[in-house]
Amino acid sequence: MRFVLPTSTLAAILATALASGHAAAAATSPTPITLDQAMANPDWIGTPVESAWWGWDSRQVYYKQKRAGSPLRDTFLVNGGAAKQVDDKQLANLDTANPVYNREHTRAIVLRNGDLFERDLKSGALTQIVRGTAAAADPQYAADGKHVQFRIGNDWFSWSRSERLVTPVAVLRTAKDPDAKPETDALRDLQLRLISTLARVKEERDATRAQRDAERSADATRAPKPVYLGEKVVIASSALSPSGRYLLVVTSAKDADKRRVGKMPRYVTESGYEETDDERPRVSDAGPVPHQLKLLEIATGKVTDLSFDTLPGIATDPLADLRAAQKLAALKGNRPVRFEHSAESIRWSDDGARVAVMAQSIDNKDRWIATVDLAGATLQPLHRLSDQAWVNNRGNDFGWQPDNSTLWFQSEESGYAHLYLKNARTPDAAPRAITSGKWEASDVTWSADGKIAYFLCNPKLPGTYEVCASNTTDAKVKELTTLGGVESFTVSPDGRKLLVRYSTSYMPAQIATVPATGGAATQLTDTRSADYKARNWVAPQIVAVPSTHGADPVWAKLYRPATLEPGKKYPVVMFVHGAGYLQNVTQRFPVYFREQMFHNLLVQQGYIVLDMDYRASLGYGRNWRTAIYRQMGHPELDDYIDGLNWLVANHQGDAKNVGIYGGSYGGFMTFMALLRAPDQFKAGAALRPVTDWTTYNHEYTSNILNTPELDPRAYKVSSPIEYADKLKGHILIAHGMVDDNVFYQDSVRMAQRFIELKKDNWELASYPLERHAYVHAESWYDQYRRIYQLFERTLKTKE
């Protein structure tokens, strides 16, 4: 079903939102905020609800909250009244998030602190399955419903409810099998023929081994023989069939990653001496190590390497033209494959009869879903998603329906992330969509009977998130909440309610319950401090900025006085969110809540501020996401120039006094604005910026720019350091010196370029104790003091 609002309805919603924003701003004057208060430890706001989950009886709700002034977290319980802290004596009977239910939804596996328990959902009885020093993981119910299967390290175990016994199922070793027959060797054969004593010792050893193996096979009380995969591989993940008959194992070659890592010095240390940490590898053709997929037959110990030859397009190189242009060797054979988030890339049906895997080419132009012919040990393709730019790793989940033959999956093939169903019995049939439209479905949860899919959706406005549901019979989508800023949700064990975690522009995440069929929300928490709640804030207006470059409207948050003074031109500050693929123009409490308070301060000091979801931002579909392919910093800059011109035309923005700032990707974009459009942007603050994409990580960068060896032009046009000679305005560079995401080296190298070019009006502020995400209030204050002073001295001139 296509869930798209008519243009008139969308316009009405937007007009109402803008009108209410103006009315709220006009009704009460914003409370003044100081820079010191805005950058203080955020505990003064009131610590948010960090996570929340249902109790086994569907009546109790638990949640985690940080203590004010402390890094410690406490657990609270809500059961129809005020929240109560869970004391230490109650911890042994505590439920946890993400329980695993049996087929009948009468029992649930609880994983707590690495230990496993089973909860009887009828009586509430809790039975401990395993207690150990090594953490259990990946729990699941066996096909018979009488056993619980789980992994510790690389070994798989089964717990019998009736026997209260834990038994090894598959014991994996990445070593040479000590009992394996030696390879053919003429010299060895000669010794055994000539020296009878050696031959006799070998016969006795072989007989002892054979007897031991026979006894192990015949004696049900014995643990199974280890399976040796060889000494040349490492195990990435594995998944046991609920039938207990098969194990799929993802491996990679040992010591295959030859990428160089650097050393990051730390100068301010407890020891008083300089210390160093290893850095991550940079983007390169070496890339991440490919994966292999092995099928283990538990009963016989037989291991078969599964070939990827059957995956359509696996041997076709989508980058062949770029490879030829750089005179690089042509690809031979299949493209290498990885199982990203490998533990989540294998899905067994509940009965263990079928298994599906999700593989991705390392160049990330293809994603395949395939089933495994267990008897024939071959992959059978079920769905292929290709993208000439790159396949989105988010919104790419999949799994089996209760009928054990229908697979559900997410795909961006329509241009937006949506849900599909496909029957594995008819692999050639087209998948059936159960959501559609110019919006995205994410964070999918299914009802116990598999008939209803619950998910986050944004059909009204890109930044308005609700919980939606779709019925698999008729694919009708229904919004279940009206909160606007839903962040996550869970379905109660009995399936009757939703526990919703939501927020608003000035309210950190709280929780509420909503009927699973939709309806009014019952708020359970409000953890904001009295001081914070008493304040009036500048209401961000969510606006649609027209694009002059053929794109959809660029959604943005506008911060401005409720009433503009006639004839006055306001200096403009533009904010750029980080991460690239992130959405900040929503009704949720922003990741950049400090920056939002800073924008309040700027408004009270006479600025107008625009915060844009430029092209490449999350939530707007495939074309928006991939617009930056091979040209980072170009479409985004076009969007910001459109935003600037829109402010000048509609909100009395001063085109001659424009500043821009942001961190990480926002720092990168600040450089691109100052260096590629120096006549439009007068000042900027580039915080922890990428200045040269060749120094960033492979997993992110190679998707967008390929690799430096393969696509040097893409890196040249996308890296600010290549435009350093174009600097005209004023720029502040601020960087944590122990940043392990965007290295401090990025800013140092740019500083050296400015020195060599004899550039003026730039400065580098260094923060010795900060990584990529600052944690110390003093650093936050110092950084934003510099930003504020930069804008005050450069954007309030009469030039």
Side-chain angles (χ1 to χ4, degrees):
M1 174 184 176
R2 185 176 175 83
F3 194 144
V4 182
L5 292 175
T7 304
S8 58
T9 306
L10 181 62
I13 291 172
L14 182 57
T16 302
L18 297 187
S20 62
H22 281 298
T28 54
S29 298
T31 306
I33 181 78
T34 65
L35 188 62
D36 194 47
Q37 182 77 79
M39 298 300 142
N41 186 310
D43 285 0
W44 79 272
I45 295 171
T47 56
V49 173
E50 295 181 339
S51 61
W53 62 97
W54 287 101
W56 67 272
D57 59 1
S58 300
R59 293 193 296 268
Q60 301 181 103
V61 168
Y62 297 94
Y63 66 89
K64 285 274 189 184
Q65 184 183 3
K66 178 185 172 296
R67 294 182 190 175
S70 169
L72 302 180
R73 268 71 178 167
D74 294 309
T75 301
F76 292 86
L77 168 66
V78 182
N79 188 8
K84 297 180 180 179
Q85 185 174 335
V86 175
D87 62 38
D88 292 347
K89 294 179 181 179
Q90 297 173 290
L91 295 177
N93 195 47
L94 200 65
D95 293 297
T96 60
N98 304 314
V100 178
Y101 298 105
N102 67 348
R103 189 180 300 109
E104 297 76 20
H105 243 64
T106 57
R107 298 177 180 275
I109 306 170
V110 176
L111 180 60
R112 188 202 313 141
N113 301 321
D115 294 327
L116 277 183
F117 305 80
E118 186 183 50
R119 177 80 75 181
D120 186 323
L121 298 181
K122 293 181 178 178
S123 67
L126 187 69
T127 302
Q128 186 158 12
I129 295 173
V130 64
R131 178 187 302 167
T133 55
D138 299 335
Q140 63 187 26
Y141 276 100
D144 62 9
K146 300 175 182 179
H147 295 77
V148 172
Q149 301 166 334
F150 58 93
R151 179 177 58 81
I152 297 179
N154 290 321
D155 300 334
W156 282 88
F157 299 85
S158 177
W159 173 77
S160 167
R161 186 180 304 113
S162 60
E163 297 175 330
R164 294 294 194 265
L165 182 67
V166 172
T167 306
V169 176
V171 179
L172 300 182
R173 296 290 179 265
T174 52
K176 185 177 181 181
D177 186 348
D179 295 337
K181 292 182 179 180
E183 297 178 1
T184 301
D185 187 308
L187 182 60
R188 179 185 294 107
D189 293 343
L190 178 64
Q191 311 314 308
L192 294 174
R193 181 171 62 82
L194 295 177
I195 311 299
S196 59
T197 303
L198 289 177
R200 185 180 71 251
V201 169
K202 180 182 181 300
E203 290 175 1
E204 292 172 349
R205 185 173 67 245
D206 290 347
T208 300
R209 181 184 302 135
Q211 181 184 29
R212 184 188 65 207
D213 290 347
E215 290 175 350
R216 186 193 296 269
S217 298
D219 186 352
T221 66
R222 298 282 299 277
K225 182 181 178 180
V227 176
Y228 292 90
L229 300 178
E231 57 192 355
K232 296 181 180 180
V233 302
V234 293
I235 297 172
S237 68
S238 60
L240 178 67
S241 69
S243 67
R245 294 183 58 193
Y246 297 97
L247 184 72
L248 276 179
V249 187
V250 178
T251 66
S252 59
K254 187 178 181 180
D255 300 325
D257 193 346
K258 305 298 184 183
R259 292 176 293 174
R260 178 179 174 180
V261 297
K263 296 291 184 181
M264 180 172 61
R266 290 184 288 119
Y267 295 100
V268 180
T269 63
E270 289 186 18
S271 69
Y273 291 87
E274 306 91 281
E275 299 172 5
T276 60
D277 295 326
D278 285 341
E279 294 176 336
R280 55 154 174 78
R282 275 105 165 134
V283 60
S284 74
D285 251 6
V289 176
H291 282 151
Q292 294 80 44
L293 186 62
K294 300 177 184 293
L295 176 65
L296 165 63
E297 188 175 350
I298 301 293
T300 63
K302 180 182 178 182
V303 178
T304 305
D305 288 327
L306 297 180
S307 170
F308 299 129
D309 289 349
T310 58
L311 299 179
I314 186 68
T316 302
D317 183 9
L319 298 170
D321 290 344
L322 287 176
R323 212 176 299 280
Q326 297 305 316
K327 296 181 172 56
L328 298 173
L331 179 72
K332 294 182 179 180
N334 292 339
R335 284 181 284 160
V337 164
R338 279 185 65 83
F339 294 85
E340 298 297 338
H341 315 294
S342 53
E344 301 171 3
S345 294
I346 303 173
R347 298 287 193 229
W348 287 95
S349 60
D350 287 342
D351 62 2
R354 288 185 171 85
V355 63
V357 299
M358 180 180 286
Q360 290 180 251
S361 57
I362 280 189
D363 59 37
N364 211 8
K365 308 294 185 185
D366 276 288
R367 183 274 282 148
W368 299 273
I369 298 176
T371 56
V372 180
D373 176 355
L374 298 171
T378 56
L379 289 179
Q380 299 179 317
L382 200 65
H383 186 264
R384 178 187 181 187
L385 179 64
S386 296
D387 198 306
Q388 62 182 5
W390 74 95
V391 172
N392 194 358
N393 282 327
R394 297 183 62 157
N396 221 1
D397 201 1
F398 71 117
W400 293 97
Q401 291 286 81
D403 65 5
N404 295 308
S405 62
T406 303
L407 198 74
W408 70 268
F409 61 90
Q410 293 175 276
S411 174
E412 214 180 33
E413 60 197 72
S414 71
Y416 293 83
H418 283 296
L419 296 178
Y420 296 83
L421 296 176
K422 183 160 185 172
N423 196 312
R425 292 194 180 101
T426 55
D428 294 332
R432 180 168 68 92
I434 60 170
T435 66
S436 62
K438 294 183 66 174
W439 53 276
E440 304 211 310
S442 59
D443 297 352
V444 185
T445 297
W446 287 87
S447 61
D449 60 8
K451 294 181 180 179
I452 299 175
Y454 301 95
F455 46 89
L456 294 185
C457 59
N458 59 344
K460 286 183 178 177
L461 294 173
T464 299
Y465 283 89
E466 306 291 358
V467 182
C468 279
S470 179
N471 188 306
T472 59
T473 303
D474 54 21
K476 288 185 177 179
V477 176
K478 176 184 178 182
E479 285 193 16
L480 304 179
T481 59
T482 55
L483 296 168
V486 175
E487 299 195 5
S488 61
F489 69 96
T490 56
V491 182
S492 63
D494 64 9
R496 296 178 180 178
K497 293 182 180 180
L498 305 175
L499 175 60
V500 180
R501 187 168 168 269
Y502 71 103
S503 61
T504 65
S505 293
Y506 290 103
M507 183 179 72
Q510 308 299 327
I511 53 175
T513 58
V514 178
T517 54
T522 300
Q523 186 174 0
L524 301 182
T525 63
D526 186 349
T527 61
R528 292 175 294 173
S529 69
D531 182 13
Y532 183 78
K533 288 174 67 174
R535 290 175 173 266
N536 296 317
W537 300 97
V538 176
Q541 302 174 30
I542 296 182
V543 298
V545 176
S547 171
T548 63
H549 299 86
D552 288 337
V554 187
W555 291 90
K557 285 181 179 178
L558 172 63
Y559 299 83
R560 47 154 277 186
T563 303
L564 299 176
E565 295 181 24
K568 179 179 178 179
K569 290 187 176 182
Y570 289 79
V572 172
V573 171
M574 308 190 82
F575 174 68
V576 192
H577 69 67
Y581 195 57
L582 179 148
Q583 188 177 19
N584 200 46
V585 182
T586 73
Q587 294 187 41
R588 297 164 171 165
F589 190 71
V591 174
Y592 301 98
F593 60 91
R594 287 187 182 88
E595 289 80 351
Q596 182 170 251
M597 290 187 285
F598 182 59
H599 298 160
N600 275 254
L601 185 150
L602 291 176
V603 170
Q604 75 189 35
Q605 294 301 317
Y607 298 83
I608 56 175
V609 182
L610 194 67
D611 168 4
M612 306 187 76
D613 269 349
Y614 49 86
R615 273 176 286 177
S617 297
L618 179 148
Y620 300 88
R622 182 264 170 197
N623 290 345
W624 200 262
R625 174 178 64 81
T626 62
I628 61 171
Y629 181 56
R630 302 186 68 211
Q631 53 171 359
M632 295 172 79
H634 291 253
E636 311 97 295
L637 182 55
D638 289 342
D639 294 343
Y640 270 87
I641 292 174
D642 280 343
L644 170 58
N645 293 334
W646 180 81
L647 287 177
V648 172
N650 296 280
H651 295 276
Q652 299 176 213
D654 185 350
K656 294 182 179 180
N657 287 293
V658 182
I660 186 169
Y661 85 102
S664 193
Y665 202 97
F668 153 71
M669 278 304 304
T670 296
F671 267 126
M672 293 299 267
L674 266 291
L675 301 178
R676 292 192 58 248
D679 294 326
Q680 277 132 324
F681 295 91
K682 192 174 183 181
L687 320 176
R688 50 198 181 279
V690 174
T691 64
D692 184 349
W693 285 108
T694 66
T695 69
Y696 201 54
N697 70 40
H698 186 95
E699 289 71 17
Y700 179 90
T701 318
S702 65
N703 281 344
I704 308 171
L705 301 179
N706 302 309
T707 63
E709 300 91 337
L710 187 63
D711 204 349
R713 179 188 174 280
Y715 283 80
K716 184 173 182 179
V717 302
S718 301
S719 295
I721 200 166
E722 301 283 356
Y723 304 94
D725 61 314
K726 304 296 191 295
L727 179 66
K728 291 183 180 179
H730 303 252
I731 193 161
L732 162 69
I733 312 169
H735 213 135
M737 295 176 68
V738 289
D739 190 334
D740 50 6
N741 181 1
V742 179
F743 300 146
Y744 178 61
Q745 181 189 37
D746 264 69
S747 290
V748 173
R749 290 177 68 236
M750 182 63 91
Q752 180 61 27
R753 285 293 292 140
F754 286 158
I755 292 169
E756 293 172 352
L757 293 166
K758 298 180 180 178
K759 292 295 181 180
D760 198 1
N761 300 320
W762 66 273
E763 62 176 309
L764 171 60
S766 304
Y767 298 89
L769 291 176
E770 300 295 353
R771 295 191 181 275
H772 196 62
Y774 288 17
V775 296
H776 303 292
E778 300 87 351
S779 300
W780 278 103
Y781 175 81
D782 184 85
Q783 180 174 247
Y784 276 79
R785 173 186 59 81
R786 293 172 186 271
I787 297 170
Y788 176 69
Q789 290 175 345
L790 169 69
F791 292 154
E792 283 287 287
R793 69 174 179 263
T794 59
L795 304 185
K796 289 189 172 179
T797 66
K798 298 298 183 181
E799 295 178 14

